[in-house]
Amino acid sequence: ENAISNHIANWNMVWFGLIFWGSVFNAIAINYELTLNPMLWYACGLLLGSIAKIRGTWL
Amino acid sequence: MEGIGQVAEEFSFDKEKEIARSFSKRFQWEMMLIGVGQATIWLCLWPLVIYGYISLFVGSLIAIVCACFAYLPSHEAQHGNFSRGNPKRRWVDSFVSHYTLITLMFPHDLMRCTHMKHHAYTNNPEKDPDYDTASSKTIWGVIVATQAGITKYQSIAETYKDDKAFMKSFHKGLNVALMYRAILLVLVVMFPLEALLLWWLPSKVGVIYLSTFFSWYPHYQMDTGRYKDTKFWSHWMPRYLNHSMQLHFVHHLHPGIGHYDEPKAIEALKPFLIARKVPGAENIPDRVAHNPLIRM
């Protein structure tokens, strides 16, 4: 007695930013042949998720 | 019951209920077909796009259409309009609802328990789970409200924390929601743009469509109480494109009436609705035919 659920409730936006938006930004960069370090795109995703967490909403 | 005042005997609540009941018996096969059909089409899009049979752009457009058709079959199931009170058929409600909601990444149990509270406390600022969208001042406000994510559900859980049956369904639904989120995060690593344009974006568009037509238009600026919490409205869009939500008020009066039986039910109930002073009832056409609900 799971009480994982606290982590998800508090950090889901950060994880979502890192994994989802990081992967999407990286895929777009590959598509347009931008030769930047992939870690940069994951950092952008992490930043987006962190801002969303601080503000409590994506918009 | 709140809102049932004095009216002439010929428009009594018992007579109204009797008429409504006659439209609450048919198996909603159209909804089942739409629900199962759109989810199956949506699932087929993945191999079709990944193997290059159709472009990602076309796949995304089809997925958005699927997402807009995803909620209503589940909504019928939430009200038991497939099983019609037959315990042996309850699995149909559950199956159709779970399956059709995949496109929207919504869990059936969470949708059902919050929707029942929406019916019980429509437009109540403290207790209506849909109040955030219904009270938005503009469509942009609706869009912003739909992006609140988990924050909204945390506040709903806080409101109903002492309701054991609600919380049981709520937690069951939350687990399914987390499973959807985990699947999306796995898919986005393997197929990033497909996950974005076949699932994430369509689900967002679907939720905005749903909140606008199912919640905001029918309930915006309405009061609380039976006959007062939902209005008849008209719109420039042909009614088959907004799921005939102009007729949503009759659903709040008699949730057992199936979606595709609502036009006939409204024709029969129109005198009752006018007698009860349902907002907009005087504008209901005598015959809800192919498309009389347009306002240019």
Side-chain angles (χ1 to χ4, degrees):
Chain A
E1 243 177 54
N2 263 342
I4 291 170
S5 45
N6 199 34
H7 179 85
I8 290 168
N10 286 322
W11 297 97
N12 81 88
M13 282 174 154
V14 176
W15 282 112
F16 192 80
L18 173 67
I19 301 171
F20 185 85
W21 289 114
S23 299
V24 167
F25 293 157
N26 190 42
I28 293 169
I30 290 167
N31 209 37
Y32 288 101
E33 297 177 357
L34 298 174
T35 52
L36 289 168
N37 190 331
M39 293 307 285
L40 175 73
W41 305 114
Y42 283 95
C44 286
L46 181 63
L47 180 66
L48 197 66
S50 303
I51 292 169
K53 178 195 159 30
I54 291 164
R55 300 180 67 258
T57 176
W58 288 100
L59 285 176
Chain B
M1 197 184 287
E2 193 189 353
I4 300 184
Q6 289 300 310
V7 291
E9 175 57 27
E10 60 181 317
F11 301 126
S12 72
F13 180 60
D14 287 339
K15 285 185 178 173
E16 179 191 321
K17 212 161 66 173
E18 198 179 320
I19 291 172
R21 203 172 285 153
S22 68
F23 293 99
S24 307
K25 292 170 182 166
R26 195 172 67 85
F27 180 77
Q28 298 293 303
W29 64 267
E30 304 98 325
M31 271 301 161
M32 191 166 155
L33 195 65
I34 289 170
V36 172
Q38 69 78 21
T40 305
I41 289 169
W42 180 82
L43 285 169
C44 291
L45 289 175
W46 285 83
L48 288 173
V49 167
I50 288 166
Y51 290 111
Y53 291 106
I54 59 173
S55 73
L56 182 53
F57 177 73
V58 170
S60 185
L61 289 180
I62 296 170
I64 286 170
V65 173
C66 288
C68 290
F69 278 88
Y71 182 73
L72 214 51
S74 161
H75 177 246
E76 291 290 315
Q78 289 165 36
H79 285 287
N81 289 353
F82 295 118
S83 62
R84 293 291 184 201
N86 181 349
K88 287 180 181 172
R89 270 195 187 172
R90 208 159 283 162
W91 68 271
V92 181
D93 290 331
S94 186
F95 165 72
V96 172
S97 186
H98 274 105
Y99 189 48
T100 190
L101 288 175
I102 293 172
T103 319
L104 288 173
M105 276 189 264
F106 274 177
H108 161 70
D109 293 288
L110 192 60
M111 290 298 104
R112 190 174 57 83
C113 68
T114 53
H115 188 63
M116 292 305 122
K117 293 299 182 191
H118 164 65
H119 271 267
Y121 301 107
T122 310
N123 294 341
N124 181 321
E126 309 296 324
K127 292 185 165 184
D128 182 357
D130 293 349
Y131 188 75
D132 59 338
T133 47
S135 63
S136 297
K137 290 186 169 54
T138 60
I139 290 182
W140 175 246
V142 175
I143 293 169
V144 171
T146 58
Q147 307 311 308
I150 202 166
T151 320
K152 168 180 173 168
Y153 289 96
Q154 283 171 329
S155 70
I156 293 170
E158 184 60 30
T159 303
Y160 292 106
K161 62 184 175 191
D162 297 326
D163 185 332
K164 279 184 182 174
F166 176 87
M167 290 311 287
K168 189 182 172 189
S169 282
F170 187 89
H171 283 123
K172 203 173 159 188
L174 215 55
N175 289 335
V176 176
L178 289 175
M179 185 188 73
Y180 278 139
R181 188 50 66 108
I183 292 169
L184 179 67
L185 291 182
V186 169
L187 280 173
V188 81
V189 172
M190 300 191 294
F191 310 107
L193 295 180
E194 288 83 354
L196 176 74
L197 297 173
L198 291 182
W199 205 6
W200 183 85
L201 181 67
S203 82
K204 291 293 174 193
V205 174
V207 172
I208 291 166
Y209 169 87
L210 163 73
S211 301
T212 302
F213 288 115
F214 293 36
S215 178
W216 189 65
Y217 272 115
H219 297 301
Y220 178 54
Q221 291 187 323
M222 288 290 100
D223 206 339
T224 53
R226 191 179 171 85
Y227 303 110
K228 292 183 289 185
D229 58 20
T230 318
K231 64 174 177 280
F232 172 80
W233 50 284
S234 44
H235 195 248
W236 58 266
M237 195 182 271
R239 73 181 173 97
Y240 294 110
L241 296 182
N242 55 36
H243 279 85
S244 304
M245 278 299 126
Q246 293 95 326
L247 313 179
H248 188 63
F249 67 93
V250 84
H251 168 71
H252 269 260
L253 297 174
H254 303 285
I257 297 176
H259 180 75
Y260 285 103
D261 294 322
E262 282 177 355
K264 289 286 173 207
I266 282 166
E267 289 170 17
L269 289 169
K270 184 181 174 182
F272 292 81
L273 303 170
I274 290 172
R276 296 284 186 183
K277 296 185 171 58
V278 167
E282 64 282 0
N283 299 322
I284 298 169
D286 290 330
R287 187 155 182 277
V288 183
H290 178 60
N291 198 7
L293 306 178
I294 287 182
R295 182 187 61 192
M296 296 307 281

